[in-house]
Amino acid sequence: MRNKTLLLSTLALGLAALLALRLTREEAPAAAESRPLVPAALLADLRALTVKSGPRTVTVERSADGWTVKDRFGLPADAENRLLPLVRGLQKAREFGVLTANPKRLEKLGLTETSVTLVGADGKATTIEFGRQTEDGLGHSARLAGQPHALRTDFTAFLEADPTAWVDLTLFTAKPAEVRTIALAWKDGRTELSRKSSGAPFDGADAAALEELVATLATLRAADAVAKNDADAAKAARTVEAKLTTFDGATATMAFAKLAGAQPGDPGKLFVRVTHSDPKHPANAADKLAVFTVPSWLAEQLPASFADFKKSGQPAAPAAPSLLPIPGPAQNAPASPLVPAK
């Protein structure tokens, strides 16, 4: 009797558990519908873009001459490496519904630290705040300014807010083989060499040294930009002027000026101004807006005087041959105790 009662009780409990499971089981959630995070029309006719990340903010604006960085003297923006990747990331980004509206969870997402503001042709601004990645790793959480909830998105593009990083600091670029003539002028002398044809070596005693300088200067990218009235740039003394003339007749003039360091071991600063024979070349517009500093590695490669240039072009003196010991018995060595001395 007891076994029968126990069996019936076990069956009853199993049926109750099965019924509870059926009643409480949820259907598998359907795939969340997605839609573009940013309207395509807004990105198609974008007029300005502002990125905020932590304490830094950068604004790039569209003009008749292209995109410029408002926070860095209106210099040309680096469209290839900064603007286009971000715009493409926004074009591809989609939102997958509400992530959370819980105030405590919203606070943990860090949505107030990073944002992108887009201004269209109508002048209206759309701000999207981006926070930490969602737990499933889909992409950054996001919130449209003024909304009480965060969204799930698949946006993963990097948001850079350093204005200097947005500037296109390439002042001049050409293929080294297309440079027909290079002329360098210092206070204590000058040199100039030419090629007979594209890709041919330079003619002259200093050809090897000038080949290296052409390879360095043919793509000149600055490290940073300072204001035209910068005090350090005004005090810098001219060191060398370089002129590169290409086979199509265009000439780029690069004037370098050095400011010595204030403390021992301080390398100081090397400034450069670039002008071009083509009035429409971007270097001419940039020269009117700012003065540029040179990367430290370039400052080390550029001779500060004609004497330094001549010294660097001289072959190193051959090292004196070292006298290697010749194997054999040393003089006045004691006789071996195993061999009788004669």
Side-chain angles (χ1 to χ4, degrees):
M1 184 64 181
R2 292 180 179 177
N3 291 338
K4 184 177 180 180
T5 302
L6 182 60
L7 178 60
L8 291 175
S9 300
T10 302
L11 290 174
L13 290 173
L15 290 173
L18 180 61
L19 180 61
L21 178 63
R22 286 182 174 275
L23 291 175
T24 58
R25 185 176 62 185
E26 296 181 354
E27 295 294 331
E33 294 184 3
S34 66
R35 61 181 180 180
L37 179 62
V38 182
L42 174 57
L43 294 173
D45 201 6
L46 195 62
R47 300 302 173 91
L49 181 150
T50 298
V51 179
K52 174 185 176 296
S53 182
R56 291 182 171 178
T57 301
V58 60
T59 297
V60 291
E61 299 174 324
R62 183 180 175 185
S63 66
D65 297 327
W67 288 88
T68 59
V69 183
K70 178 181 179 181
D71 313 87
R72 295 302 285 169
F73 317 112
L75 291 166
D78 189 345
E80 182 177 353
N81 297 302
R82 293 298 177 192
L83 182 62
L84 290 180
L86 178 54
V87 171
R88 287 169 182 163
L90 292 170
Q91 287 174 333
K92 295 177 182 179
R94 303 187 71 81
E95 58 104 341
F96 295 83
V98 176
L99 175 64
T100 183
N102 186 313
K104 291 185 177 180
R105 191 177 176 193
L106 287 172
E107 185 177 351
K108 292 181 180 180
L109 291 175
L111 292 162
T112 60
E113 298 175 6
T114 306
S115 65
V116 174
T117 300
L118 308 168
V119 179
D122 57 1
K124 295 181 179 180
T126 299
T127 298
I128 306 173
E129 300 170 332
F130 289 99
R132 295 179 176 86
Q133 270 200 335
T134 56
E135 294 178 356
D136 57 4
L138 178 65
H140 289 286
S141 55
R143 178 175 61 186
L144 296 175
Q147 287 191 348
H149 57 267
L151 303 170
R152 293 180 69 244
T153 80
D154 60 358
F155 177 78
T156 57
F158 178 67
L159 296 176
E160 174 62 76
D162 181 3
T164 301
W166 274 82
V167 176
D168 184 359
L169 292 170
T170 302
L171 303 178
F172 175 74
T173 182
K175 293 181 179 179
E178 293 299 316
V179 175
R180 178 172 58 87
T181 300
I182 176 172
L184 300 169
W186 296 269
K187 290 183 178 180
D188 58 339
R190 67 185 310 276
T191 184
E192 178 176 331
L193 290 183
S194 298
R195 307 181 197 271
K196 292 181 179 179
S197 60
S198 175
F202 285 107
D203 294 327
D206 300 322
L210 288 179
E211 288 282 5
E212 293 182 6
L213 276 178
V214 167
T216 298
L217 299 177
T219 298
L220 182 61
R221 181 176 172 83
D224 198 0
V226 298
K228 291 290 290 184
N229 60 351
D230 182 78
D232 287 346
K235 292 185 292 185
R238 199 199 83 172
T239 57
V240 59
E241 181 181 87
K243 288 187 178 181
L244 303 183
T245 303
T246 56
F247 279 94
D248 60 4
T251 298
T253 302
M254 308 168 186
F256 295 90
K258 174 82 173 187
L259 179 67
Q263 303 292 334
D266 182 357
K269 297 179 181 179
L270 185 62
F271 300 90
V272 63
R273 296 183 59 185
V274 179
T275 55
H276 198 275
S277 57
D278 180 2
K280 297 182 179 180
H281 194 278
N284 296 323
D287 181 62
K288 296 177 182 178
L289 298 171
V291 180
F292 297 90
T293 59
V294 170
S296 57
W297 63 265
L298 177 55
E300 294 173 358
Q301 293 186 15
L302 196 64
S305 67
F306 182 64
D308 289 342
F309 170 74
K310 296 299 290 184
K311 189 184 301 182
S312 64
Q314 293 177 357
S322 59
L323 298 177
L324 298 177
I326 301 176
Q331 294 181 356
N332 302 324
S336 169
L338 299 180
V339 180
K342 295 183 179 178

